[in-house]
Amino acid sequence: MKRAWITRPASAAATALAVAILAGCNPDEPASPNLPPETFITSSTPRDSSRVGHHVDFLWFAADQDGRLAYFEYVLDTYPRSVARIDQVHPVPPGIDDVRWTRIDGNGHTFILPADTLRVDPRTTVGPLEFDRWHSFYLRAVDNDGTFDATPDSRTFQAFTQAPQLALVAPALRGAPATLPRTSVMHWTGFDVVGGGPDPQNPQDSRWVLLHATLDGLGNPLGFPDSLYALRESRWSPWQTWNTGTGTSHVLRDVVPAGPTQQAFVFAVQGRDDGGAITARFDATTIDANNYAVLVLDGNLPVGPRITAYVAHATTDTLSIPPGTPPPFNVSAGTDSVRVSWTKPDASSYGANATETRYGWNIANVANDNEWTAWSTVRSAARQAVRSTGDIFFLQCRDNVGSGNHALDLVTSARIVIQPLPAAAKAARRR
């Protein structure tokens, strides 16, 4: 029974004696041993033998009769991938002094657990493929005297998830082979379903592979996709974090020799989620799931951005400039001066981006940066008087320099030779 009273200050010894008498015990007798707390995992968390998504929410509480709770400790046992059924699970509770006991504060936590075992053949399964893994979770409370619950509460359950779904995007094509220059940038997108929930997340990371292929008469790669299912781990690239430039793209640089060389390849990607599940099915035609494609890389195709230039007041005022270093363009000025402008460069044909250009008039040495303007996104030059001997306008555009491994630094260089119109022709234009 609890009692309350008001008294004047007393000595510590007197106070201790009074408390002991009121408690009904002899002050010379030893104090009662500290009672351990009791731990309870709530029923809203996984039940024994249940199957839950691999982002597992655990809730818990504890009771302590003679003190207060300090914190909790847990041990998570993950069973081998070969354990497939509950009758193969044999939980072994951790010992009192097991070094795996890990402190955790609060009354709940979301654990992201391994679910990396695919128990079916992905080539013959219809519908989503689910990965899983069995786990046992043990929890004990610790009170303010450091006494812990010697009978931890526990749950044994199966965590499952689906692997990320990836899809190649331009310049790769679904189905038919894509003919590309020997240097190209592969891109892909993807998402990861968390357990069986409706809200996807980004994959954790991805990897790619490029394999030589032989095509049949219809452009189909012989032996694929079976060759991908049988591929050794060592053939794949290292895993790359998804939220970096290398996690959603890769540069194929100078894959075949320059010149009259064409070779066929298969490019494939896989994703991995935070539970360790890896994209298991290879598909070349399904929208949003086409994670491999056939490429024909051609050493003859020029590489560099395309651009269109406009020469105001010239007889030919629109010039479509292809990649690389095309022959000079020759135009005639219709007036005493011209103004040159141009579009944003386009490098999408080989998977790159481009924004920057530079220009110069009558450059003597194209390798001398001082004769050019600075690289910028400006897309026009000031009006220029045309000399009687003619002028040469130099224009360069480059792909996405300064953007990680997409910075191929491939440049298209154009020369536009501008000659003045003869006086009679100018007069005729005015009429």
Side-chain angles (χ1 to χ4, degrees):
M1 179 176 65
K2 293 183 179 179
R3 305 190 184 199
W5 66 94
I6 300 176
T7 182
R8 59 182 177 272
S11 67
T15 301
L17 178 61
V19 171
I21 294 173
L22 289 171
C25 62
N26 189 328
D28 296 328
E29 292 180 359
S32 300
N34 181 45
L35 297 176
E38 293 187 67
T39 313
F40 304 92
I41 300 175
T42 67
S43 58
S44 61
T45 56
R47 301 180 305 278
D48 275 329
S49 306
S50 63
R51 179 174 169 83
V52 296
H54 78 296
H55 286 198
V56 185
D57 294 321
F58 275 99
L59 300 174
W60 54 74
F61 68 95
D64 189 19
Q65 298 182 43
D66 57 354
R68 58 181 176 81
L69 179 69
Y71 56 88
F72 293 90
E73 294 180 331
Y74 76 91
V75 169
L76 180 67
D77 265 343
T78 295
Y79 295 92
R81 296 177 66 181
S82 58
V83 174
R85 304 182 310 274
I86 185 60
D87 59 7
Q88 296 174 307
V89 176
H90 303 291
V92 178
I96 291 175
D97 297 322
D98 195 310
V99 296
R100 295 174 300 163
W101 285 111
T102 301
R103 174 171 173 162
I104 189 168
D105 296 307
N107 292 95
H109 187 75
T110 298
F111 291 88
I112 299 175
L113 303 181
D116 54 2
T117 307
L118 182 63
R119 306 187 187 279
V120 296
D121 186 343
R123 287 168 288 188
T124 59
T125 300
V126 178
L129 303 174
E130 290 187 344
F131 292 71
D132 62 63
R133 201 81 174 262
W134 282 90
H135 308 270
S136 286
F137 178 77
Y138 302 91
L139 184 75
R140 69 183 185 185
V142 182
D143 69 13
N144 59 303
D145 288 324
T147 303
F148 50 79
D149 185 353
T151 57
D153 203 356
S154 66
R155 295 287 188 272
T156 295
F157 58 94
Q158 186 184 41
F160 76 95
T161 190
Q162 296 175 22
Q165 181 172 302
L166 269 56
L168 290 169
V169 295
L173 301 177
R174 283 188 296 111
T179 300
L180 301 172
R182 66 197 190 104
T183 293
S184 299
V185 188
M186 298 294 102
H187 299 273
W188 54 91
T189 61
F191 62 91
D192 175 44
V193 175
V194 181
D199 298 324
Q201 64 181 4
N202 284 335
Q204 177 175 278
D205 41 26
S206 66
R207 63 182 182 179
W208 60 269
V209 68
L210 181 71
L211 302 172
H212 280 278
T214 300
L215 307 185
D216 64 16
L218 299 176
N220 300 312
L222 298 176
F224 288 89
D226 287 345
S227 299
L228 293 169
Y229 289 107
L231 199 62
R232 299 191 307 272
E233 285 286 310
S234 60
R235 299 294 302 276
W236 289 94
S237 73
W239 289 103
Q240 300 289 340
T241 304
W242 185 264
N243 59 2
T244 64
T246 56
T248 56
S249 63
H250 178 70
V251 175
L252 303 176
R253 191 186 298 271
D254 299 336
V255 176
V256 301
T261 302
Q262 278 194 348
Q263 293 181 22
F265 298 87
V266 164
F267 184 83
V269 291
Q270 286 184 311
R272 182 172 63 179
D273 72 5
D274 51 9
I278 298 173
T279 307
R281 183 176 288 146
F282 292 102
D283 188 325
T285 58
T286 303
I287 296 176
D288 295 332
N290 53 310
N291 62 333
Y292 83 94
V294 182
L295 311 177
V296 176
L297 301 183
D298 189 338
N300 258 341
L301 292 178
V303 181
R306 294 179 175 273
I307 195 169
T308 299
Y310 305 99
V311 185
H313 310 300
T315 51
T316 303
D317 59 2
T318 302
L319 306 173
S320 181
I321 302 170
T325 306
F329 294 84
N330 294 284
V331 301
S332 297
T335 61
D336 294 334
S337 62
V338 294
R339 184 172 60 86
V340 183
S341 60
W342 51 91
T343 60
K344 177 184 176 182
D346 180 9
S348 61
S349 63
Y350 58 100
N353 293 317
T355 57
E356 293 187 321
T357 60
R358 66 178 183 174
Y359 68 91
W361 287 96
N362 302 310
I363 292 176
N365 179 9
V366 294
N368 182 5
D369 288 340
N370 293 328
E371 296 193 59
W372 295 86
T373 63
W375 288 103
S376 73
T377 57
V378 173
R379 300 196 183 106
S380 65
R383 183 179 292 273
Q384 175 83 0
V386 179
R387 298 179 301 181
S388 59
T389 56
D391 292 277
I392 302 177
F393 181 78
F394 290 80
L395 177 64
Q396 283 188 337
C397 54
R398 65 182 180 181
D399 59 25
N400 39 339
V401 171
S403 301
N405 71 347
H406 298 184
L408 304 180
D409 202 9
L410 297 173
V411 177
T412 293
S413 297
R415 287 183 296 161
I416 304 173
V417 180
I418 304 173
Q419 297 289 349
L421 272 179
K426 287 184 180 179
R429 284 175 61 89
R430 293 192 191 100
R431 292 196 299 264

